[in-house]
Structure formats: C-alpha cells, structure tokens
C-alpha cells in the first residue's frame, strides 16, 4: 500500500510531468492542431487578449486597437436579423477541443488550452479582463493596493458565495489555492521568485486576503485572471491530493457544474442553478476532444459539434470561408519561433546565433507552412498592440550574410566541442547543430525539412532530433538543445510574460529556456511591472522588444492564429458582463467563456 | 497428455521470455525515473526534488536490481495488477485503459475476419469451379494484388475513395456515438484488414478444393451423376475446411499487427493506438501489459491450432 | 497481412500448416496452381517461371537502377523547394513540369519517389541480407546438428515469431534511435526467424540425402559437409525467399514510416505516403502526393512477391520437413 507521502509525491511528480509539458507549449508542428500545442498558462502568465480579426488573406488590419474589438467580432458574426430576440435558456452545446485533458486541478496541473477552456466553465477567476484590456474584479469584489504601495495588495471577496460542494468561498480558500500552487514543483517555479518564503499571503479577515509581493507590481491583479486566479474548492483539492483520480472531477464556483466524464474524455458539465452571478443559459456543455483538425472541422460543419477551437491555418481558412460560421479570430496570443540556446557552443557566440537567424527562411515558412493565414511576427506584440515597436524587425532570409558570419565563426572557434552532438563546432567550414522538435508530426517534419534546406545552404550542418513531446520539453528545460521550434508569449499584458525572460527564472530546470540573463532586461521588466504610467510602460516594453531582438535568441516566425468557431444558432459568446457592468473579454488564446452563450432554436 | 503438458510448458516459457525481454529493453534503454517524475528527475540540486526522487524510487522499486524488479512486476501481473499508467494525471490503473480499448480492437478484428470469410469462401468455390480458365487466372492475379498492397496504403486509398470522395463513411471515430454508428465507423478499417486476409484465405481454399477434387471419391460421385457444383459444395468443401480453419486462426495473429496500423490511420482508439502512444511516452506498464496480452493471444492461437491439427492428424501427437 | 514475418510459431511438424501459413500459393509444394482438376491425371506441370516473372524482374531492376543512379539522373533535387507559381499555392498537380506533381513544400514528387526508393530498398535489402546471414546460418546449423542446439535455436525463433513484429520494431526504434542502420537491423532481426525456419527445414531435408552420407563416409568433417554439400543446395531455395523477404521488409519500413517512426532525414515511400495522407484536407485536394508513392510501392511489392513466388515454385521450396 502506498503511504500518503509517497502518493502525494507521485501525484506531484505526475502532475509535474503533465503540468510541465503543458506549461511549455512546446510545439513541433506549430500549426498542427495536435495535442502538441499547449499553453503558457501558469501563475503570473495570466493572459487575456483582445480579439482581433486577421482580415482577409493578406492578414492585415489597419484599424486601431480599441475599435478592432467591436468591429471585427460583428463582422464575422452572422447577425441573422434583429428579430433574434433575447437569450433563452436551454440546449446542450457540444464543443470540439483540440486535445484531451488529463486533469482539471488548477493547483497542480498547468493547464493547456483545452483544459483552460473547461476550467472557464467550472471555475470563476478572481479577476477578469474587460474588452479594453483593463482588469476588473470578478469573483473578487475588489483588489486594491495598500496605501498606494504596489507590493502589497488586498483582495476582498464577495459575501455569500459557495463552491459547488457548498464549501464557502472565503479568504482561506484563496490562501489554500495559492499555497498549493506555490508548492507545486513546476507551477511553483513561476510563483516563487516573486514572493517571500513565509507570509506570502496574510488573512486579514474572513473575506479579505493580503498578498505580500517582493517587488512592486502595478499590474498584479492581472495575474489572477488566468489559471492562478481560478478558485477551486479547498475541500475538493484536499481530497484530490489523496486520490489523484479526483483531478478529473473539478469543483469550483462557476456557472457550470461537473457532471460526467465518459470514455474518451467527453466531459459534460451542467448549469449551476445557484451561481452567484446570475444564471447561464445553456443546460449543459459537452467538451469533445478531437485531435485531428480535419475531423474536428468535419464534425463541426456536419452539425455534430456546435462550436470548436482551432489554430491550424488550413482549417481557419476553411472556416472563414463558410458563410454560416461565426469565427472569432484572435492573434494576440502566442508566437511561434525558433529558440536558440545561448549557453552551449556553438550558440554561445552571438555570431553563430545571428547566422542562424539570417539563414532562416521566414518568408517561405509563412507561405508554405502557415499558408499565409497566420501573420508573420517580429516581436511578441502584434502591430495593433499598443506595445508594438515598429522599429523592431525580425531579421531573416539573408543567407549571404549568414555565410559570412559562419566563416568568421568557424575560423575562430571551429574546433570547440558541440557537446550535444559530440562533434566539433565546425566541420568543413559549416557549423554543426542539432534541430529539435516534437513529433511525430507531419507539419513538424515539413518545417524541419524547410529549415534544413535553407540552413544547409547558408553554412550549417543540421542534425535532426524529433522527440516525443515530453522528452522535448525535458531537454528544453534542462538546456539540452541547440535550437528548437517553440511557442510562447501569450500573455495579454507583457508583465506576465517575464517568467520566460528573467534571471530569476533560470535554474537547473529553467522556464527561461534560452537561459539568457541580462540585467538590463530584468531592470526593464521590473520597471514595467511597477509603473502605472501608460506612456512610460509603452516605452519600456518597446525597449524590451528591442532588447530581445538584439539578443538573437528568438527567431520569431508567426503569431498564432486562433479561431473559436460557432454555428449560426449559437449566440452570445461575447456578451459577457462583469457584476459592475463592464463588457468583458470574449476570447483569449483559443478559449472562451460560457455564461453568456445561448442557443437560438 | 505429456505432449500437451510439454506444449503448455513451452508456451509459458515463451511468455516469460517475451516479458523479460520487453521489461529489460524498456528499463535499460529508457529511463523509468524520468517517466515517472518528469524533468525533476534530473534536478539533483534542489533538496525538495531529491526527496521526491527518493520517494519515487522507493515506491517503484527502482533501487532494486533489474531481475528483482522483473519478478515483482511478474508477480503483480499474474495476479491481475497491471500497474498504473505513468503518464496520465492521477495515474489510473492500466486495466482501465485495457478495458476501454480492447473491445474496440476486438470488434475490429471480428468484423475483419467475418468479412474475410464471407468474401473468400464463395469466391474460392467459384474459382475452383472455373479453375484455370481466364477468369480464374485473373482472379489469381487479383489476389496477388490484394496481398501486395500494404495495409497503410490500402487504408489511404479506401479513405480517399469512400470517406472523402463518396462521403459514405465519417472521417473520425467518435467513442460516444450510439452503437450502430460506431459499428459503421469501423467498417472501412475492417475492410482494410479484411482484403488481404480474404485473398490469403481464398488462395488456400481454392487450392485445397482443387486438390480435393482430384480425389477418387469425387470421381465416384461424379460418375454417379452428381453435378459438378454439388460435388463442390457437398463433398469437396468439408475436408478443405480443415486447413482453412487453421490458417484462419494463424492469420488472426497477423491481423493484430495490421490492426495497429489501421487504428492509427483511422484514428480508432484501440489497443494499437494505445501501444504506439505508450511507447512514445515510455509508459512502461502500459507497454508491458499490451505486449503481454498480444503475445498471449498469439500463443493461445497457436495452441488452438495445435489442438485442431492434432485432432486431424494423429501423426503429430507422436512427437 | 500474412507474410513471411507473420508465419506461425510452429515448428516443423506441420508441413501443411507452415506452408499454408507462409504461403502465397498452394499449400502443397511443388504443384503449380494451374493444375487441371478432376480429370485424374497426376502429371506435375512442367516447371516454368513464366513471362510474369520476367516482367516483375524488369520492373524491380528498373526501380533499383533508378534508385542507385538517382544522384546522377537529370531530376530535381528532392529536398529543394521549387520556385512557386504566381497566384497559385503548392502542391501542384502532375503535369509536364512535374510528372508526379509537387508536395506542400513544392518539392518534385517524382524525384522524391525515386530518392525514397533508395532508402526503402536499402532498408529492405539490408534487412533481408541480415536475416539471411544470421537466420540462414543459425537455421542451417540447427538443422544439421539437431539435438539441444536445434531446440535452443528453434526456441529463439519461436520467441521472435511470438513477439508482435511491428511492436518490436517500434519499441526498438523509439528507444534507440531512428537511423537507417538501426531500422534496417531491427527489421533484419525480425526476419531472422522466418528465414531461419526455411533454412533449417531445407537443411534437414537435404541432410538425409545420399550425397551427404556419401561425403561423410568418405571422411569429410562437419564444416566441410556444411559448406560444400549443404550450403549450395540450401542457398538456392533461400534466394527465392530473398525477394519475398525484401518485399516484406520494404512494407514493414513503410508501416514504421507511416507511424512517423522511420528515418528522420530524407524520404522513404512510407514517409511520402504519410505526408500526403495525414491530413484529410491534403488527401482530398492533392491526392497525388500519396498516390504516386503508393502506386510505385504497390508495383514494386507486387513484383517482388510475384517473382519470389514463381522462384519458390520453381525450386520447390519446402518450408518444413517431416
């Protein structure tokens, strides 16, 4: 029989494995809608995003950021007539997800996009984003800094709310959730750098909890809009620690209650009749994982599913050409890029990194792999974002310059050792590197072939290493890679992406995958967190983009294009309203909420 | 009797060897600690993680030598404890996975065999009756083609013609659909398996029929005025069925291998897909369990064939 | 599919069964499939390989030649993205410019199919060569010496045959690496048992013949007998199996590739087929991407099977010995 301690260790271990794989959002086939695509939801990497229409095939829009929201959504939305009428309760929504979900415990499983989608049905977040990107208290009644000091925040909950199992929603519940997240070996990696060892949180009264940060963060509440802000019943979480199979049966406070999970992971939720924020319209939601994107859109177009998510460019293109489909397109999430490890030869030398960057066939990649559907990326912000820096351009498609740099590097450092390959850094005047991606994935193989073609002509000998996803993530975390294909930076507010970039996040297991520690960068990010002046923050993050660009550890390829598609009778997804009346965000990183959706028969 | 004991003993020895080889391969070439704990297994600096590592080692007996671990696993296995799935959250038991997936693979196999039999027997009878005429030769060429086309290629072709172009079948298997809907979804994959099997059966049966037709008793029947077709059905078929039955049993083993590919192409969540996923994720208990199940199936099938054959041919028993 | 590597785990006591198990042709060795039934004559038809044999050999030779000469043939580089056409996105259908069309990265499918043959056929060849070398030797020695050694070797064969073949291949390639060498040797290991059984059976049937007895009476030692008397006789039926075995190995590599587990760089037929068929959308809009390699693979395997089959008939290869 297992002892309690070992079982917990195991649970954490397994959760760690799962959570790790999902934290990292490693993607071999970046536009492959397989279970490879994960999400960067953890701790402060809260995200939300503005829905943005990608436009036509050219994929450019010129409207300003604030206006995009309303225009684009209604453009794609089929507004039948005004005689649609008011929302009516009833109906079951079958939603096609891109992958299966293992567990729905926000304190122990870092959740991927499908997992977060389901979480948004069963949990409430403490804080939410409105359509303008401001934070709005949601489950919490208020989140205020104490005496204007942005390193101390008090969060006050609403009275009289209970979880689905009648446990009260109180400050103690919040604290329990927080402590469990912090204690998780992997999720905790993103929490611990920002809090003291003890007294990270203080219970002020039954409904009020105080967060004691190490450094001021004016955007702190935004950290509670994502996974870290999903409040789970402490009774359930405690039980799940004993019996990890309970991770599949989440208990939150949200508009829907977990009902059943059947063979092959079809998970069903039913309406919560005693929800604190009114009542959802749908009777039930069934989440159906369909890993193959073509099958998923097939089922959707045949009416077997009423809604689906996809980030596969070909599918997005198809869905957008269907008249009766409402597409909510979102490009403000992650970017796909090549990530270069700067701690081991040859890429510890900036010339080698530059050479690889120049040798990368970005245009061909956009044409042939993302089919012109996803937009090219130069930095982590899309052009419509206020933080966008128009002077930062991702260099690529310059093979001659690459060759020159390779020659220079090899002449000087060609006889060092590439520890990954066990060869010298250069052979026959070409730099030896290993390219990793997660597979088996057909798109991943195509990408690898494309890179190889071009890098090979520009001075590199490329060895392929296609690994199962878990192995790939391990290698990335431990720094055992030369260059990988990766996906990251999905946070709505860049303050929450610092977990991938800071010196604090480097360790034996490192969320700062390229292990770049740059004091200047850290200073910038700290300033960005502490400042409340929008103009100042814009300047800071523009500088950050320039800093990242100059480090040559990321070769940005494209912005991920997410499509949440609904059939013509499923309405209201963007009609979410906060208790205080603000219009709330519609979709973020490929997922939406469910409390305002209704079915028009 | 001794013969059967020997056979049984050999079968058991065989299964033990297979299990030992698989167990050894996975543990030597893979890293069980990593599969249980994830990247933490490599982080030996952090004392918290070290504690986790040691706890995992104790729980999974990783500190003991390999043969001891094998024996422990074997003991668990034969008492029905297949272990837990390392790579799933909450570590549900492997038997859950098997219980969920095995019926689908079995359904696929049963459907495929039934189709193959229903196609091959009439076809063989027809061929035997038209032996060596041009249609028969054409049919021989056809059987060659049916066997030569690899199952994954055949699957692609069938998928293209019937699911995509004609739209008769759906692209995906949905586990939640009602029973008949799921059966229909299995038809195309079953056909993929059935076609080469049918060709093999047809060839064998046809030849046996032709040979049987040369026997004296057939001549007798014919000379008594029994029609050619009646002779075929009533007199020739039965003796020819013996080897048919035995090849049928043996071929089931081949179909299990084919099911692996077919399940992956048609995205049916059966044992075939489960084992490929498990190998990629190095989920040891799952891999071991499925390998053992499949090997046991082979062994049992072979034993069955031995039994059948010994009933026919007494010479065999005098080993 | 029933093929060499999927023969039963039976030993030699069931001639009917083994022939049937492995056989693509009549269970009764030596009698061609076009016996005229029912007329009572028992003349064994004169053994000929037939014109079909020569057509098959011609095709095989052509494919092998193309594969060997690929680097010097005037075809496009299989890995290079050809210039795209304005306003039209790849993949392009077959036409005068690209005989087999192009794939999603606008690479010439005709060229890729030929280069794919290099890898697929190499794997097939190395696998069966390994199988014949190792399996043939073991089988011959087992068949000649009998006794405990024979029991041991036969047991090894049975173990190998009882292991679900594809699973073993996947296991090894996933755990080790996916180099050409590993894959070829893995498939070679899988062919050891079927080849070994035939070698053993052949050896047993020959070992009792007069010329061996004669040789022994004249004082020849075992090695000499094995090499001078048995080997030449055993090699002939085994070479008939070589073609069949190669077909099986090529198909097995294709199966591995189709699961995404074949060599990482370069094309093989299985990889090409997977590339064209993994997405239903691709399959629908650009079927040539998988159909071109499917057709070539099919014809090659058909040719190998047919030719090997006629050879086996011709040499009257016994799978088992009484």
């Amino acid at each position: 029989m297992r002892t309690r301690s070992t079982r917990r260790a195991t649970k954490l271990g397994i959760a760690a494995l799962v959570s790790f794989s999902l934290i990292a959002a490693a993607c071999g086939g970046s536009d492959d809608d397989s279970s490879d695509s994960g999400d960067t939801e953890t701790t402060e990497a809260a995200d939300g995003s503005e829905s943005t229409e990608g436009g036509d095939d050219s994929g450019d829009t010129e409207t300003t950021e604030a206006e995009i929201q309303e225009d684009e959504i209604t453009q794609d939305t089929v507004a039948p007539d005004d005689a649609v009428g008011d929302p009516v309760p009833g109906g079951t929504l079958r939603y096609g997800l891109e992958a299966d979900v293992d567990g729905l415990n926000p304190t122990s499983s870092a959740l991927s996009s499908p997992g977060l989608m389901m979480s948004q049905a069963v949990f409430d977040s403490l804080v939410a984003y409105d359509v303008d990107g401001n934070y709005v208290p949601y489950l919490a009644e208020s989140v205020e800094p104490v005496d204007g000091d942005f390193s101390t925040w008090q969060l006050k909950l609403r009275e009289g709310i209970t979880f689905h199992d009648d446990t009260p929603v109180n400050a103690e519940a919040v604290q329990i959730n927080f402590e469990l997240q912090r204690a998780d070996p992997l999720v905790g990696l993103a929490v611990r750098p920002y809090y003291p060892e003890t007294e990270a949180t203080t219970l002020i009264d039954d409904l009020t909890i105080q967060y004691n940060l190490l450094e001021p963060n004016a955007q702190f509440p935004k950290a509670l809009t994502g996974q870290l802000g999903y409040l789970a019943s402490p009774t359930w979480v405690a039980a799940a620690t004993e019996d990890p199979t309970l991770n599949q049966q989440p208990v939150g406070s949200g508009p829907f209650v977990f009902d059943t999970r059947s063979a092959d992971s079809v998970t069903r939720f039913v309406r919560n009749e005693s929800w604190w924020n009114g009542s959802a319209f749908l009777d039930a939601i069934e989440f159906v994982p369909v890993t193959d994107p073509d099958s998923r859109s097939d089922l959707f177009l045949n009416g077997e599913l009423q809604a689906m998510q996809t980030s596969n460019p070909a599918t997005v293109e198809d869905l957008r050409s269907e008249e009766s489909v409402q597409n909510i397109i979102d490009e403000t999430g992650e970017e796909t890029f090549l990530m270069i490890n700067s701690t081991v030869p040859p890429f510890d030398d900036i010339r080698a990194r530059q050479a690889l960057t120049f040798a990368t066939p970005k245009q061909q990649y956009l044409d042939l792999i993302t089919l012109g559907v996803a937009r090219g990326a130069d930095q982590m912000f899309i052009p419509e974002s206020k933080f966008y820096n128009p002077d930062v351009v991702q260099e690529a498609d310059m093979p001659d310059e690459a060759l020159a740099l390779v020659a220079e590097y090899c002449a000087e450092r060609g006889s060092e050792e590439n520890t990954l390959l066990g060869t010298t850094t250069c052979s026959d005047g070409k730099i030896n590197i290993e390219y990793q991606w997660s597979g088996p994935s057909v798109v991943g193989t195509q990408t690898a072939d494309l890179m190889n073609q071009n890098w090979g002509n520009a001075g590199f000998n490329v060895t392929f290493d296609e690994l199962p996803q878990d192995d790939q993530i391990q290698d990335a975390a431990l720094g055992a890679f030369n260059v990988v294909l990766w996906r990251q930076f999905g946070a709505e507010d860049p303050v929450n992406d610092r977990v991938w970039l800071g010196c604090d996040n480097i360790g034996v297991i490192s969320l700062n995958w390229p292990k770049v520690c740059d004091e200047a960068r850290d200073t910038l990010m700290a300033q960005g967190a502490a400042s409340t002046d929008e103009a100042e923050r814009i300047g800071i993050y523009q500088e950050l983009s320039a800093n990242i660009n100059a480090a040559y550890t990321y070769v940005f390829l494209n912005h991920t294009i997410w499509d949440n598609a609904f059939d013509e009778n499923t309405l209201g997804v963007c009609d979410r309203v906060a208790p205080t009346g603000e219009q709330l965000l519609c979709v973020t990183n490929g997922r939406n909420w469910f409390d305002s959706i209704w079915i028009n028969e | 009797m001794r013969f059967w004991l020997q056979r049984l003993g050999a079968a058991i020895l065989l299964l033990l060897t297979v299990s030992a080889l698989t167990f050894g391969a996975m543990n030597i070439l893979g890293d069980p600690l990593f599969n249980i704990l994830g990247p933490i297994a490599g982080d030996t600096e952090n004392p918290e993680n070290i504690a986790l590592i040691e706890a995992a080692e104790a729980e999974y007996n990783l500190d003991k030598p390999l043969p001891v671990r094998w024996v422990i696993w074997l003991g668990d296995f034969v008492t029905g404890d297949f272990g837990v799935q390392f790579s799933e959250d909450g570590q549900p038991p492997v038997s859950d996975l098997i219980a969920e997936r095995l019926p689908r693979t079995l359904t696929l196999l049963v459907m495929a065999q039934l189709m193959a039999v229903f196609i091959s027997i009439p076809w063989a009878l027809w061929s035997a009756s038209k032996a060596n005429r041009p249609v028969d030769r054409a049919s021989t060429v056809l059987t060659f083609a049916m066997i030569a086309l690899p199952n994954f290629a055949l699957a692609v072709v069938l998928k293209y013609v019937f699911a995509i172009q004609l739209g008769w079948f759906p692209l995906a298997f949905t586990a939640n659909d009602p029973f008949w809907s799921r059966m229909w979804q299995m038809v195309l994959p079953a056909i993929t398996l059935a076609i080469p099997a049918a060709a093999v059966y047809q060839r064998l049966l046809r030849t046996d029929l032709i040979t049987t037709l040369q026997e004296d008793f057939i001549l007798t029947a014919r000379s008594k005025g029994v029609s050619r077709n009646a002779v075929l059905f009533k007199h020739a078929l039965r003796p020819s069925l013996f080897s048919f039955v035995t090849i049928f049993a043996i071929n089931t083993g081949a179909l299990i291998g084919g099911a692996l590919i077919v399940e992956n192409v048609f995205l049916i969540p059966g044992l075939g897909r489960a084992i490929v996923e498990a190998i990629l994720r190095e989920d040891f208990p799952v891999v071991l369990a499925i390998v053992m199940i499949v090997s046991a199936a082979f062994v049992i099938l072979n034993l069955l064939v031995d039994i059948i054959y010994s009933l026919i041919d007494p010479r065999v028993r005098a080993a | 599919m029933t093929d060499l590597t999927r023969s039963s785990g039976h030993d030699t006591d069931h001639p009917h069964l083994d022939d049937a198990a492995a056989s693509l042709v009549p269970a009764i060795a030596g009698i061609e499939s076009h016996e005229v039934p029912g007329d009572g004559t028992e003349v064994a038809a004169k053994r000929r390989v037939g014109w079909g044999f020569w057509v098959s050999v011609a095709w095989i030779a052509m494919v092998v030649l193309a594969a060997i000469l690929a680097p010097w043939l005037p075809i496009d580089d299989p890995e290079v993205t050809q210039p795209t056409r304005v306003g039209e996105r790849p993949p392009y259908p077959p036409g005068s410019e690209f005989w087999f069309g192009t794939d999603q990265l606008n690479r010439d499918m005709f060229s890729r199919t030929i280069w794919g043959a290099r890898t697929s056929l190499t794997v097939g060849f190395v696998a069966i060569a390994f199988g014949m070398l190792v399996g043939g030797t073991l089988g011959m020695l087992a068949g000649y010496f009998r006794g405990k050694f024979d029991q041991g070797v036969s047991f090894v064969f049975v173990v190998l045959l009882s292991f679900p073949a594809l699973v073993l291949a996947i296991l090894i390639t996933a755990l080790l690496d996916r180099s050409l060498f590993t894959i070829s040797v893995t498939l070679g290991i899988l062919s050891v048992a079927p080849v070994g059984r035939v070698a053993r059976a052949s050896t047993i049937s020959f070992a009792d013949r007069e010329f061996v007895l004669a040789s022994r009476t004249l004082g020849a030692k075992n090695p000499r007998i094995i090499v001078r008397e048995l080997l030449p006789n055993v090699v002939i039926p085994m070479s008939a199996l070589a073609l069949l075995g190669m077909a099986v190995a090529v198909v097995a590599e294709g199966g591995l590739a189709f699961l995404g587990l074949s060599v990482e760089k370069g094309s093989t037929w299985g990889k090409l087929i997977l590339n064209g068929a993994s997405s239903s959308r691709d399959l629908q809009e650009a079927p040539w991407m998988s159909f071109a390699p499917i057709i070539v693979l099919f014809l090659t395997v058909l040719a190998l099977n047919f030719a090997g089959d006629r050879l086996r008939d011709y040499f009257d290869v016994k799978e088992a010995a009484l």
Side-chain angles (χ1 to χ4, degrees), chain B residues 139-153:
Chain B
S139 131
T140 306
V141 171
L142 181 60
T143 57
F144 251 117
M146 284 160 71
I147 298 171
L149 189 59
N151 49 19
F152 57 90

mmCIF file of all heavy atoms in Angstrom, chain B residues 139-153:
data_model
loop_
_atom_site.group_PDB
_atom_site.id
_atom_site.type_symbol
_atom_site.label_atom_id
_atom_site.label_comp_id
_atom_site.label_asym_id
_atom_site.label_seq_id
_atom_site.Cartn_x
_atom_site.Cartn_y
_atom_site.Cartn_z
ATOM 1 N N SER B 139 -8.465 -13.814 -61.468
ATOM 2 C CA SER B 139 -8.732 -13.745 -60.038
ATOM 3 C C SER B 139 -7.472 -14.046 -59.234
ATOM 4 O O SER B 139 -7.256 -13.478 -58.169
ATOM 5 C CB SER B 139 -9.900 -14.692 -59.715
ATOM 6 O OG SER B 139 -9.614 -15.516 -58.651
ATOM 7 N N THR B 140 -6.626 -14.913 -59.764
ATOM 8 C CA THR B 140 -5.353 -15.171 -59.077
ATOM 9 C C THR B 140 -4.489 -13.921 -59.053
ATOM 10 O O THR B 140 -3.874 -13.597 -58.033
ATOM 11 C CB THR B 140 -4.582 -16.307 -59.778
ATOM 12 O OG1 THR B 140 -5.417 -17.441 -59.874
ATOM 13 C CG2 THR B 140 -3.328 -16.652 -58.997
ATOM 14 N N VAL B 141 -4.441 -13.248 -60.162
ATOM 15 C CA VAL B 141 -3.682 -12.001 -60.187
ATOM 16 C C VAL B 141 -4.253 -11.016 -59.184
ATOM 17 O O VAL B 141 -3.526 -10.318 -58.477
ATOM 18 C CB VAL B 141 -3.711 -11.398 -61.616
ATOM 19 C CG1 VAL B 141 -3.110 -10.004 -61.604
ATOM 20 C CG2 VAL B 141 -2.964 -12.293 -62.581
ATOM 21 N N LEU B 142 -5.581 -10.967 -59.121
ATOM 22 C CA LEU B 142 -6.223 -10.051 -58.186
ATOM 23 C C LEU B 142 -5.812 -10.367 -56.756
ATOM 24 O O LEU B 142 -5.528 -9.471 -55.956
ATOM 25 C CB LEU B 142 -7.747 -10.129 -58.337
ATOM 26 C CG LEU B 142 -8.544 -9.198 -57.412
ATOM 27 C CD1 LEU B 142 -8.169 -7.748 -57.676
ATOM 28 C CD2 LEU B 142 -10.036 -9.410 -57.608
ATOM 29 N N THR B 143 -5.774 -11.647 -56.404
ATOM 30 C CA THR B 143 -5.390 -11.967 -55.032
ATOM 31 C C THR B 143 -3.957 -11.540 -54.750
ATOM 32 O O THR B 143 -3.635 -11.085 -53.663
ATOM 33 C CB THR B 143 -5.540 -13.475 -54.729
ATOM 34 O OG1 THR B 143 -4.749 -14.202 -55.656
ATOM 35 C CG2 THR B 143 -6.974 -13.903 -54.784
ATOM 36 N N PHE B 144 -3.124 -11.683 -55.747
ATOM 37 C CA PHE B 144 -1.761 -11.199 -55.578
ATOM 38 C C PHE B 144 -1.748 -9.717 -55.241
ATOM 39 O O PHE B 144 -1.041 -9.260 -54.350
ATOM 40 C CB PHE B 144 -0.965 -11.403 -56.866
ATOM 41 C CG PHE B 144 0.060 -12.470 -56.750
ATOM 42 C CD1 PHE B 144 -0.008 -13.609 -57.520
ATOM 43 C CD2 PHE B 144 1.109 -12.338 -55.857
ATOM 44 C CE1 PHE B 144 0.939 -14.599 -57.401
ATOM 45 C CE2 PHE B 144 2.058 -13.323 -55.729
ATOM 46 C CZ PHE B 144 1.972 -14.459 -56.509
ATOM 47 N N ALA B 145 -2.540 -8.990 -56.011
ATOM 48 C CA ALA B 145 -2.582 -7.547 -55.795
ATOM 49 C C ALA B 145 -3.109 -7.220 -54.408
ATOM 50 O O ALA B 145 -2.599 -6.338 -53.725
ATOM 51 C CB ALA B 145 -3.446 -6.889 -56.866
ATOM 52 N N MET B 146 -4.107 -7.972 -53.990
ATOM 53 C CA MET B 146 -4.692 -7.686 -52.689
ATOM 54 C C MET B 146 -3.694 -7.918 -51.567
ATOM 55 O O MET B 146 -3.726 -7.256 -50.546
ATOM 56 C CB MET B 146 -5.923 -8.574 -52.470
ATOM 57 C CG MET B 146 -7.128 -8.089 -53.245
ATOM 58 S SD MET B 146 -8.364 -9.381 -53.451
ATOM 59 C CE MET B 146 -9.000 -9.525 -51.793
ATOM 60 N N ILE B 147 -2.826 -8.888 -51.764
ATOM 61 C CA ILE B 147 -1.850 -9.147 -50.714
ATOM 62 C C ILE B 147 -0.683 -8.187 -50.807
ATOM 63 O O ILE B 147 -0.065 -7.839 -49.806
ATOM 64 C CB ILE B 147 -1.359 -10.606 -50.806
ATOM 65 C CG1 ILE B 147 -2.531 -11.543 -50.589
ATOM 66 C CG2 ILE B 147 -0.287 -10.870 -49.770
ATOM 67 C CD1 ILE B 147 -2.198 -12.980 -50.880
ATOM 68 N N ALA B 148 -0.379 -7.762 -52.020
ATOM 69 C CA ALA B 148 0.809 -6.933 -52.179
ATOM 70 C C ALA B 148 0.625 -5.523 -51.661
ATOM 71 O O ALA B 148 1.581 -4.897 -51.227
ATOM 72 C CB ALA B 148 1.205 -6.896 -53.656
ATOM 73 N N LEU B 149 -0.586 -5.015 -51.736
ATOM 74 C CA LEU B 149 -0.758 -3.627 -51.299
ATOM 75 C C LEU B 149 -0.672 -3.552 -49.769
ATOM 76 O O LEU B 149 -1.477 -4.157 -49.080
ATOM 77 C CB LEU B 149 -2.111 -3.100 -51.785
ATOM 78 C CG LEU B 149 -2.350 -1.608 -51.595
ATOM 79 C CD1 LEU B 149 -1.295 -0.796 -52.326
ATOM 80 C CD2 LEU B 149 -3.731 -1.244 -52.102
ATOM 81 N N PRO B 150 0.273 -2.811 -49.238
ATOM 82 C CA PRO B 150 0.427 -2.747 -47.782
ATOM 83 C C PRO B 150 -0.817 -2.142 -47.138
ATOM 84 O O PRO B 150 -1.498 -1.327 -47.755
ATOM 85 C CB PRO B 150 1.623 -1.804 -47.587
ATOM 86 C CG PRO B 150 2.302 -1.737 -48.889
ATOM 87 C CD PRO B 150 1.288 -2.025 -49.937
ATOM 88 N N ASN B 151 -1.070 -2.516 -45.900
ATOM 89 C CA ASN B 151 -2.328 -2.116 -45.288
ATOM 90 C C ASN B 151 -2.447 -0.609 -45.109
ATOM 91 O O ASN B 151 -3.535 -0.050 -45.250
ATOM 92 C CB ASN B 151 -2.567 -2.836 -43.953
ATOM 93 C CG ASN B 151 -1.359 -2.772 -43.054
ATOM 94 O OD1 ASN B 151 -0.472 -1.928 -43.237
ATOM 95 N ND2 ASN B 151 -1.295 -3.665 -42.092
ATOM 96 N N PHE B 152 -1.330 0.083 -44.858
ATOM 97 C CA PHE B 152 -1.475 1.523 -44.692
ATOM 98 C C PHE B 152 -1.812 2.199 -46.017
ATOM 99 O O PHE B 152 -2.597 3.143 -46.070
ATOM 100 C CB PHE B 152 -0.225 2.145 -44.053
ATOM 101 C CG PHE B 152 1.051 1.893 -44.799
ATOM 102 C CD1 PHE B 152 1.484 2.776 -45.777
ATOM 103 C CD2 PHE B 152 1.823 0.789 -44.517
ATOM 104 C CE1 PHE B 152 2.663 2.543 -46.446
ATOM 105 C CE2 PHE B 152 2.998 0.550 -45.190
ATOM 106 C CZ PHE B 152 3.426 1.435 -46.155
ATOM 107 N N ALA B 153 -1.230 1.676 -47.092
ATOM 108 C CA ALA B 153 -1.536 2.246 -48.403
ATOM 109 C C ALA B 153 -2.990 1.974 -48.765
ATOM 110 O O ALA B 153 -3.701 2.859 -49.258
ATOM 111 C CB ALA B 153 -0.602 1.664 -49.462
#
